[in-house]
Amino acid sequence: MLKLISWNVNGLRACVGKGFLDFFHQQQADFFCVQETKLQPGQIKLELPGYHQYFNSAQRKGYSGTAIFTRKQPLSVTMDFGGPQHRQEGRVITLEMPSFYLVNAYVPNSQDELARLDYRMQWEDDFRQWIRALDQKKPVVYCGDLNVAHQEIDLKNPRTNRHNAGFTDQERAKMTTLLDSGFTDTFRWLHPDEIAYSWWSYRFRAREKNAGWRIDYFLVSDRLREKVRMASIHSDVLGSDHCPVSLEIDLEA
């Protein structure tokens, strides 16, 4: 049995000052995936005994970035994917384990007025091609901030947000296409009707009112879904505008 955590920390150094390490040590996860680290190489030194640490930084300072802390040493580590246009922002880390791939991603936000929607659409298509190629070799566990609320149940105010970044018809359709190509949304698989959110705006006291979005996920190859034992959203954990999500799965690393 493996335990995996994913958390968009909205700046790892800031989150460390808000209890990140307490949660990290409490969870004792086999794999702990982080998005939006906002780090350049050498800007943080974490004492995490028993864990291998892998960081992927954006070229732009204070922006994006991902990390994985793992108890199990991978067979290989791949940073980013695809062409040069997808290799500037530190958005993806892939670990090859003996029996599966673990992919940690921070999917690009379409931004205000959908300024980056065209790039997001290209990213989705290229990433799906990448992850499907991995899936042909070994099953995949894919986690991260996917920056989309897939269904109306996944956000508090679907009607007023329909054309906003993260809930456009185009982004939701790309998520549907990804799932239809052989992947399972583990939380929705186990909790088909549960309303739970993983991100809340800092504005309008959204978290206090629980006016949130579920945009952080664990997806698995369809052939792994019967091995999923638990998929949870830790909405009580503070330290970021996102909360951690977790997966327990009957796999050997």
Side-chain angles (χ1 to χ4, degrees):
M1 184 75 72
L2 294 178
K3 182 176 185 178
L4 304 95
I5 305 280
S6 175
W7 192 4
N8 178 321
V9 293
N10 192 21
L12 185 55
R13 288 176 295 178
C15 196
V16 165
K18 299 174 184 176
F20 173 85
L21 291 173
D22 292 338
F23 179 75
F24 181 91
H25 292 304
Q26 171 199 342
Q27 290 298 306
Q28 295 291 299
D30 297 289
F31 299 89
F32 199 112
C33 299
V34 174
Q35 305 88 41
E36 206 171 357
T37 57
K38 300 182 179 178
L39 291 172
Q40 293 294 296
Q43 283 190 317
I44 198 168
K45 185 174 183 180
L46 295 174
E47 298 295 335
L48 304 175
Y51 286 85
H52 305 275
Q53 303 184 33
Y54 301 99
F55 291 87
N56 191 9
S57 300
Q59 293 183 6
R60 177 176 152 194
K61 291 183 178 179
Y63 180 73
S64 189
T66 45
I68 300 180
F69 311 124
T70 168
R71 291 184 185 276
K72 317 285 186 179
Q73 185 162 11
L75 301 176
S76 67
V77 181
T78 303
M79 303 297 181
D80 302 311
F81 74 99
Q85 71 273 28
H86 302 315
R87 295 182 172 272
Q88 314 295 318
E89 298 179 356
R91 291 189 177 274
V92 180
I93 303 176
T94 300
L95 304 188
E96 181 185 1
M97 307 307 296
S99 62
F100 67 99
Y101 287 100
L102 172 61
V103 181
N104 175 29
Y106 178 35
V107 174
N109 190 300
S110 295
Q111 300 184 346
D112 291 341
E113 299 182 0
L114 305 180
R116 218 177 183 202
L117 182 61
D118 288 347
Y119 173 68
R120 167 71 177 266
M121 295 295 97
Q122 187 63 56
W123 199 96
E124 292 278 1
D125 290 341
D126 294 346
F127 181 83
R128 187 176 62 256
Q129 181 178 353
W130 157 258
I131 201 171
R132 289 187 67 194
L134 294 179
D135 187 46
Q136 290 174 5
K137 301 173 189 174
K138 297 178 185 181
V140 173
V141 176
Y142 168 36
C143 70
D145 174 359
L146 307 196
N147 259 317
V148 61
H150 184 221
Q151 301 169 329
E152 290 194 354
I153 193 177
D154 293 320
L155 75 168
K156 179 71 171 181
N157 297 304
R159 286 186 182 178
T160 56
N161 280 295
R162 182 174 171 194
H163 300 294
N164 290 339
F167 198 62
T168 62
D169 294 349
Q170 298 96 314
E171 291 163 307
R172 296 171 66 196
K174 293 295 186 187
M175 181 66 154
T176 297
T177 300
L178 176 61
L179 294 173
D180 288 348
S181 71
F183 296 92
T184 296
D185 173 355
T186 59
F187 182 82
R188 198 50 75 208
W189 169 254
L190 293 182
H191 310 281
D193 303 312
E194 184 172 336
I195 294 173
Y197 307 129
S198 64
W199 173 79
W200 302 262
S201 170
Y202 279 134
R203 297 180 293 175
F204 313 121
R205 293 166 37 214
R207 192 158 189 170
E208 183 181 326
K209 300 174 184 176
N210 198 29
W213 300 48
R214 187 176 75 96
I215 60 176
D216 301 89
Y217 297 79
F218 272 97
L219 308 185
V220 298
S221 299
D222 284 347
R223 60 192 183 278
L224 291 182
R225 67 185 175 195
E226 298 295 344
K227 297 179 180 292
V228 173
R229 299 293 171 256
M230 188 176 295
S232 303
I233 297 177
H234 302 264
S235 56
D236 58 327
V237 177
L238 306 178
S240 169
D241 51 349
H242 295 251
C243 73
V245 297
S246 66
L247 175 73
E248 294 184 26
I249 187 167
D250 192 11
L251 274 180
E252 295 295 325

